[in-house]
Amino acid sequence: MKTSLWLLSLALAACATAPDSTTQAPATASSMPTSTITLARYHWQLRDAVDADNQRLDALFGKTGRPPLQLDFSNGQLSVRHACNAIGGGYRIVDDHLVTTALLQTMMACSDATLMQRESAIKAMLQGRPTLILSLAGDTPLLTLAAAGGRTFTFVGQPTAEAHYDGPGATMFMEVAPQTVPCPHPPLPDRTCLQVRERHYDANGLRAGEPGPWHPLPQDIEGYAHQSGVRNVLRVKRYTLKRPPAGAPSSAYVLDMVVESETVKTPDAKQR
């Protein structure tokens, strides 16, 4: 089975609008400036959701260990992750309200009730011009979206890779082979590495040029969990580490999105 989210990513990029970086009232001890710069520094993960009667919406959380519903803001674009479909569109902040453009999404059908509940709930919230509030709980940034009907979603901020590594990363595409291989000079006995090669795409999302050579990757890709027997093409960000420890890699790789995913029937299937 083979899937692709690349076309949605291109569509969202084409719809990009210039960010509104106007900062609202000065921050107090318990608040943060409401600006697109502040929003873009974090991955916003759903921590709490209540209805108009202050009853928790448990259906949006599901089983323990499931990644929480997540919002990301970048270059005037808003994206939703960990719902049934990937969702995104342009956004602005107008008089402390979050105003989105028409939202685009992939068209998968999900049997998971939690993912379906998340999708319908977050779309209704985003399309309803909710009040947007940024605040601090100690050192933890919080984003609150409050709908006119009384529903309130609270998200906790996790620093983005750009914030963590103090600078922008270089975008590249990396194909991951379905099976791991022995690591060269492994720090741990019996450790295996991902086998990867670089891929190239044109502005229309079509493969371009020849892929690079296969080689073991003796480090992790942050945010990526490999499944044996599955070949993936990933869009990743590569960050140069300013002061890596002695003997450690000089770069960090962070997953941006899975472009292709294909289950390979047998471990001996030839790599293309």
Side-chain angles (χ1 to χ4, degrees):
M1 181 178 65
K2 186 175 179 180
T3 60
S4 174
L5 299 179
W6 180 229
L7 292 179
L8 174 65
S9 178
L10 287 174
L12 295 181
C15 295
T17 58
D20 173 11
S21 59
T22 302
T23 300
Q24 308 299 319
T28 67
S30 60
S31 68
M32 298 175 66
T34 303
S35 74
T36 57
I37 295 174
T38 304
L39 291 172
R41 287 184 60 82
Y42 300 94
H43 301 296
W44 299 99
Q45 299 177 342
L46 186 66
R47 188 174 77 172
D48 199 14
V50 297
D51 62 17
D53 296 321
N54 205 34
Q55 298 299 305
R56 192 171 190 264
L57 300 171
D58 291 325
L60 301 183
F61 296 91
K63 299 177 182 178
T64 302
R66 184 191 301 278
L69 186 69
Q70 178 173 306
L71 302 182
D72 289 284
F73 301 83
S74 179
N75 298 321
Q77 291 289 298
L78 161 69
S79 62
V80 179
R81 299 187 183 188
H82 307 149
C84 176
N85 286 279
I87 303 169
Y91 81 94
R92 294 179 299 140
I93 302 171
V94 180
D95 296 330
D96 294 326
H97 290 265
L98 179 64
V99 180
T100 62
T101 61
L103 298 176
L104 303 176
Q105 67 177 73
T106 54
M107 297 300 292
M108 294 190 300
C110 296
S111 58
D112 190 310
T114 298
L115 298 183
M116 292 298 293
Q117 287 277 359
R118 288 179 178 183
E119 180 172 312
S120 60
I122 194 61
K123 285 175 65 177
M125 175 65 77
L126 295 176
Q127 292 170 338
R129 296 173 60 100
T131 300
L132 184 151
I133 303 167
L134 285 171
S135 60
L136 288 170
D139 294 330
T140 303
L142 300 177
L143 165 63
T144 300
L145 298 180
R151 277 194 173 190
T152 301
F153 292 177
T154 302
F155 300 81
V156 63
Q158 301 291 339
T160 64
E162 284 80 0
H164 179 71
Y165 292 111
D166 194 25
T171 299
M172 62 178 295
F173 294 88
M174 187 180 290
E175 182 176 1
V176 181
Q179 304 298 333
T180 57
V181 295
C183 285
H185 311 297
L188 297 174
D190 302 323
R191 182 186 173 185
T192 60
C193 290
L194 298 175
Q195 184 168 238
V196 304
R197 63 179 177 178
E198 189 171 1
R199 300 301 300 250
H200 307 280
Y201 292 83
D202 62 21
N204 296 316
L206 301 176
R207 290 181 181 179
E210 294 296 322
W214 288 102
H215 63 90
L217 184 68
Q219 65 188 102
D220 294 330
I221 300 172
E222 294 180 30
Y224 175 68
H226 184 66
Q227 182 178 352
S228 180
V230 179
R231 182 189 70 86
N232 289 298
V233 178
L234 313 176
R235 188 173 72 188
V236 301
K237 292 288 187 71
R238 180 176 58 201
Y239 297 89
T240 300
L241 303 182
K242 296 182 178 179
R243 289 180 292 276
S250 60
S251 298
Y253 296 94
V254 179
L255 177 66
D256 187 24
M257 71 177 295
V258 178
V259 176
E260 290 182 12
S261 185
E262 180 181 19
T263 299
V264 178
K265 292 183 179 179
T266 64
D268 297 327
K270 292 183 179 180
Q271 295 159 0
R272 294 178 296 162

